[in-house]
C-alpha cells in the first residue's frame, strides 16, 4: 500500500501512503492569528498624481489585516488604523500572510524601515535586552569582548553579548556551561543587549519572527 493498492490487505480501505503524502492538508504552516508586518520601504511617489501618497510596503509575516483595523507601530508604540491596502493588482479589502502589500494609515506618523505593525490587542514584547538561541557559523570564534551587528527583519543594529549561558553538546545531549567563546557550528544560548539608547533601537521578540543574523 505504498504506491499502489494490493490484494494482501482487503480490510484496508484508506489511501496509499504516496497518495496520503501528496494530498495531506497542513493546518498550521501559516499563522493567521498574530498580525506581524515589518516595514520594508516607505513609499512616497514623486508624481503630481500621488504627491500626498504615503504607504508602507512589506510582506505580512503572519496574521491578517483589513481596512479599519487598529494597529500599533513598534518600537514607538504609536497607534493608528489601516486606511487602505494596496497590491500591484489594485486595492484589497483584507490581506493575510504571506502577501506583499502596501498599507496606508489614517494618521500621518513617523514610520521608518524596520518598524513593525501589530494589532492593538496583541501582546508583543519589545526589549533592549533578551536571550537568543544561536548557531555560530563563522570560522572566527565568538568574541565576548567585541560588538556585533545584528539584522532582525529589516532592522540592523549594533549589539554586544552580555553572557554565554550554555552550549548544546549534540553528541551527549547535554548543556555545557562555563564557556567564554563559541566555535564554528556551536549551538548556544546567549544574552544580547542592544548598543543604543532605550526606546530607539529595540527589537520585537516574538516566536516565529525572532530570527537574527550576526555579523
Amino acid at each position: 500500500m505504498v504506491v499502489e493498492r494490493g490484494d494482501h490487505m482487503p480490510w484496508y480501505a484508506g489511501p496509499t501512503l504516496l497518495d496520503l503524502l501528496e494530498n495531506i492538508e497542513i493546518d498550521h504552516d501559516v499563522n493567521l492569528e498574530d498580525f506581524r508586518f515589518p516595514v520594508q520601504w516607505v513609499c512616497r511617489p514623486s508624481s503630481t498624481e500621488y504627491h500626498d501618497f504615503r504607504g508602507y510596503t512589506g510582506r505580512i509575516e503572519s496574521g491578517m489585516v483589513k481596512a479599519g483595523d487598529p494597529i500599533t507601530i513598534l518600537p514607538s508604540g504609536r497607534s493608528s488604523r489601516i486606511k487602505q491596502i494596496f497590491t500591484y493588482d489594485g486595492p484589497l479589502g483584507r490581506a493575510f500572510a504571506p502577501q506583499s502589500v502596501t498599507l496606508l494609515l489614517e494618521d500621518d506618523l513617523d514610520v521608518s524601515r524596520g518598524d513593525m505593525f501589530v494589532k492593538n490587542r496583541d501582546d508583543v514584547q519589545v526589549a533592549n535586552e533578551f536571550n537568543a538561541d544561536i548557531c555560530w557559523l563563522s570560522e572566527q570564534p565568538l568574541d565576548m569582548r567585541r560588538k556585533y551587528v545584528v539584522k532582525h527583519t529589516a532592522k540592523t543594529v549594533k549589539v554586544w553579548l552580555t553572557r554565554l549561558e550554555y552550549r548544546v553538546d549534540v553528541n551527549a545531549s547535554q548543556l555545557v556551561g562555563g564557556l567564554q567563546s563559541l566555535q564554528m557550528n556551536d549551538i548556544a544560548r546567549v544574552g544580547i543587549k542592544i548598543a543604543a539608547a532605550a526606546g530607539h533601537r529595540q527589537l520585537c521578540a516574538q516566536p516565529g519572527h525572532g530570527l537574527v543574523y550576526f555579523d
Side-chain angles (χ1 to χ4, degrees):
M1 294 294 184
V2 177
V3 178
E4 298 179 351
R5 304 193 63 83
D7 300 328
H8 301 290
M9 297 174 62
W11 50 269
Y12 177 71
T16 65
L17 177 60
L18 181 61
D19 184 56
L20 179 64
L21 293 175
E22 289 180 341
N23 296 283
I24 192 169
E25 293 186 6
I26 302 175
D27 293 332
H28 304 291
D29 58 338
V30 177
N31 178 2
L32 295 178
E33 297 296 326
D34 304 310
F35 175 64
R36 302 292 183 268
F37 180 79
V39 177
Q40 295 284 340
W41 182 48
V42 180
C43 181
R44 297 292 301 271
S46 299
S47 66
T48 304
E49 183 180 1
Y50 298 103
H51 70 281
D52 201 30
F53 186 94
R54 185 182 180 92
Y56 305 101
T57 302
R59 190 180 77 166
I60 302 175
E61 296 298 332
S62 65
M64 62 174 59
V65 68
K66 64 181 183 299
D69 279 350
I71 59 100
T72 298
I73 298 97
L74 300 177
S76 69
R78 295 186 177 91
S79 297
S80 184
R81 289 182 179 271
I82 301 297
K83 182 178 181 180
Q84 290 177 289
I85 304 172
F86 285 98
T87 67
Y88 179 80
D89 297 320
L92 295 177
R94 66 175 61 216
F96 50 87
Q99 286 181 292
S100 294
V101 297
T102 297
L103 301 181
L104 274 67
L105 302 182
E106 291 185 354
D107 303 287
D108 187 10
L109 301 178
D110 182 15
V111 179
S112 59
R113 173 179 166 85
D115 288 352
M116 178 88 71
F117 291 4
V118 301
K119 293 283 186 67
N120 282 0
R121 59 179 173 78
D122 289 350
D123 182 17
V124 181
Q125 179 184 0
V126 179
N128 290 79
E129 189 169 358
F130 54 92
N131 294 329
D133 296 323
I134 67 172
C135 180
W136 192 253
L137 300 178
S138 174
E139 295 182 356
Q140 298 295 324
L142 179 143
D143 188 350
M144 296 288 293
R145 299 169 299 180
R146 59 160 290 189
K147 290 183 180 180
Y148 288 93
V149 174
V150 162
K151 185 172 179 62
H152 175 267
T153 63
K155 186 187 295 290
T156 301
V157 295
K158 290 183 179 180
V159 304
W160 68 79
L161 304 180
T162 58
R163 60 193 173 277
L164 177 52
E165 291 193 9
Y166 58 76
R167 176 179 63 85
V168 179
D169 187 335
V170 296
N171 296 316
S173 298
Q174 295 178 345
L175 305 180
V176 181
L179 302 174
Q180 294 299 320
S181 183
L182 295 177
Q183 304 298 320
M184 186 176 181
N185 294 329
D186 279 348
I187 300 173
R189 172 162 292 185
V190 299
I192 299 175
K193 187 172 183 178
I194 301 170
H200 293 284
R201 288 292 188 180
Q202 298 173 318
L203 297 183
C204 171
Q206 173 72 15
H209 312 290
L211 183 63
V212 296
Y213 298 91
F214 279 84
D215 190 11

